[in-house]
Amino acid sequence: MPNADTDFIRRLPKAELHLHLEGTLEAELMFALADRNKIKLPYPDVATLKAAYDFDNLQSFLNLYYQGADVLRTEQDFYDLTWAYLQRCADDGVVHVEPFFDPQTHTQRGLPIEVPLQGIHRALVDGEQKLGITHALILSFLRDLSEASALQTLESAMPFRDRFIGVGLDSAEQGNPPSKFQQVFQKARELGFHVVAHAGEEGPPAYIREALELLQVERIDHGVRCTDDPDLVDELKQRFIPLTVCPLSNTRLKVFRTMADHNLMALLDQGLCITINADDPAYFGGYLLDNFIAVRDALGMTESQARQLARNSLTASFLPDHRKDEWVTRLEAIAVND
Ligand code: ADE
Ligand code: ZN
């Protein structure tokens, strides 16, 4: 079967389920915000900064990502960041987003949690009104900090509980297993939030099991290292647990040597609920459609596989069932030669 063409993939309605808003901070916007906030960046220009985006592993990326986030100081900065991302989504045929933001990255620098929350929320509301993109924000805890800090973050966000629908877990994975966060995830579940966690990006399959069993997550972010444990792959398949896979991220952070080595299409063909996502597009060289194209060009992607990936993103979202059904009906009606 021939590969799906780019326009067909663009026209498929898609949800983005694994996207860090701080990771959409393009170098140009970083410089503009540094200027606006009178901050001196440790790089003379955009080209030099971009040349530093040459990562060996997750930690080498996180160092730059946290440094970059320091230019975000005001509600308007978070608005501008989020709005720029939503415009990219509109270009790529993304109809629904469930982005993460890391409150502790900002509260640790002295910003009140409402600064990022309000700026992001205002842009998401505008995205729905002006671009027709729906949203559900996820607050993500930094796993290299303590569980007490995560609990405090959740508590400080409660006055704004209508602004987010779930909690996640990100940052440096190795040595920070999901088991460290059982209490805060239990609390979040009791409060009625959805729960997801990064697991099996660099960390072992045991972390994926812990996220499922101890944190009772509804989706696994990344999860690509599940293939080291065939029984786990079987369980993910039987339970149709969504994996929010980020192909350009995985190659840029050396989880896979090249895109041709990536396991996501093999996992899709085995019947797992694989979705494609951008993770931190400003740092990894592409937004959602770029990720689809990179996978197609390296591994092959038929129209039926592209449709399945888009369908998975809709069914794995936290949209209400009737909204999922509406989108899936529209997805099935997308013809190849429109
Ligand atoms: N924070 C931002 N991007 C991340 C990733 N890919 N893994 C863990 N934490 C992150
Ligand atoms: Zn991520």
Side-chain angles (χ1 to χ4, degrees):
M1 287 289 280
N3 275 337
D5 76 28
T6 302
D7 186 56
F8 173 74
I9 300 172
R10 178 183 288 112
R11 284 185 292 114
L12 293 170
K14 297 173 288 296
E16 179 140 66
L17 307 179
H18 183 159
L19 182 286
H20 304 263
L21 286 169
E22 295 90 343
T24 67
L25 180 57
E26 290 289 342
E28 291 79 5
L29 183 59
M30 198 190 294
F31 270 86
L33 296 182
D35 202 39
R36 186 153 99 188
N37 293 324
K38 315 231 171 330
I39 298 162
K40 188 158 168 41
L41 289 172
Y43 301 91
D45 51 43
V46 165
T48 316
L49 171 59
K50 284 190 177 170
Y53 296 175
D54 178 22
F55 309 114
D56 299 321
N57 52 30
L58 176 57
Q59 189 60 56
S60 65
F61 153 69
L62 289 172
N63 296 341
L64 270 187
Y65 164 88
Y66 293 127
Q67 182 184 75
D70 185 44
V71 301
L72 297 161
R73 299 281 172 99
T74 67
E75 200 184 300
Q76 188 62 38
D77 297 341
F78 286 93
Y79 178 94
D80 293 346
L81 176 78
T82 307
W83 181 247
Y85 164 60
L86 290 168
Q87 288 177 304
R88 300 278 197 149
C89 287
D91 294 342
D92 284 0
V94 177
V95 299
H96 175 71
V97 294
E98 298 187 355
F100 303 120
F101 90 104
D102 298 336
Q104 290 149 298
T105 298
H106 313 298
T107 54
Q108 272 190 321
R109 302 183 283 123
L111 295 187
I113 193 167
E114 53 265 42
V115 169
L117 256 178
Q118 303 283 47
I120 291 168
H121 179 72
R122 202 155 51 79
L124 291 173
V125 169
D126 277 358
E128 186 157 355
Q129 285 173 357
K130 296 180 184 163
L131 304 170
I133 298 170
T134 54
H135 57 89
L137 185 62
I138 299 176
L139 186 154
S140 196
F141 304 123
L142 301 184
R143 68 200 309 156
D144 41 356
L145 301 184
S146 67
E147 182 173 52
S149 172
L151 278 161
Q152 205 223 323
T153 300
L154 179 59
E155 200 172 304
S156 70
M158 287 314 286
F160 313 97
R161 64 170 303 159
D162 59 325
R163 305 262 143 120
F164 62 102
I165 52 119
V167 304
L169 188 64
D170 64 8
S171 199
E173 186 180 10
Q174 300 202 62
N176 294 299
S179 52
K180 189 175 152 187
F181 295 92
Q182 288 179 71
Q183 278 186 57
V184 68
F185 271 69
Q186 184 180 342
K187 177 116 191 249
R189 290 197 317 274
E190 285 167 5
L191 288 165
F193 290 109
H194 287 288
V195 291
V196 299
H198 284 53
E201 178 184 16
E202 284 187 344
Y207 284 18
I208 302 176
R209 286 189 183 281
E210 281 192 11
L212 290 172
E213 287 160 21
L214 303 180
L215 306 187
Q216 296 178 34
V217 298
E218 297 157 83
R219 302 193 293 245
I220 296 284
D221 296 315
H222 294 294
V224 291
R225 287 207 52 206
C226 66
T227 30
D228 297 349
D229 178 348
D231 289 343
L232 176 61
V233 174
D234 210 44
E235 181 178 340
L236 293 167
K237 176 182 167 175
Q238 296 310 324
R239 294 176 58 190
F240 208 54
I241 301 283
L243 302 189
T244 63
V245 178
C246 306
L248 284 172
S249 165
N250 292 154
T251 49
R252 294 295 283 266
L253 300 187
K254 313 279 195 292
V255 173
F256 295 94
R257 205 175 57 81
T258 71
M259 197 61 84
D261 299 314
H262 205 295
N263 61 9
L264 88 160
M265 292 306 284
L267 291 170
L268 181 76
D269 290 344
Q270 281 176 64
L272 276 75
C273 183
I274 301 297
T275 67
I276 288 185
N277 306 270
D279 207 6
D280 302 286
Y283 293 92
F284 300 147
Y287 287 76
L288 188 63
L289 189 61
D290 303 309
N291 274 271
F292 270 85
I293 302 310
V295 171
R296 178 199 65 193
D297 291 350
L299 294 165
M301 184 188 293
T302 64
E303 283 148 9
S304 144
Q305 288 169 322
R307 205 186 291 272
Q308 182 65 40
L309 287 161
R311 190 187 294 114
N312 287 347
S313 76
L314 299 167
T315 59
S317 75
F318 295 137
L319 280 167
D321 284 345
H322 72 277
R323 297 286 297 139
K324 291 186 192 181
D325 293 346
E326 281 169 24
W327 278 122
V328 171
T329 303
R330 285 167 75 164
L331 169 114
E332 306 303 356
I334 300 287
V336 175
N337 295 316
D338 264 0

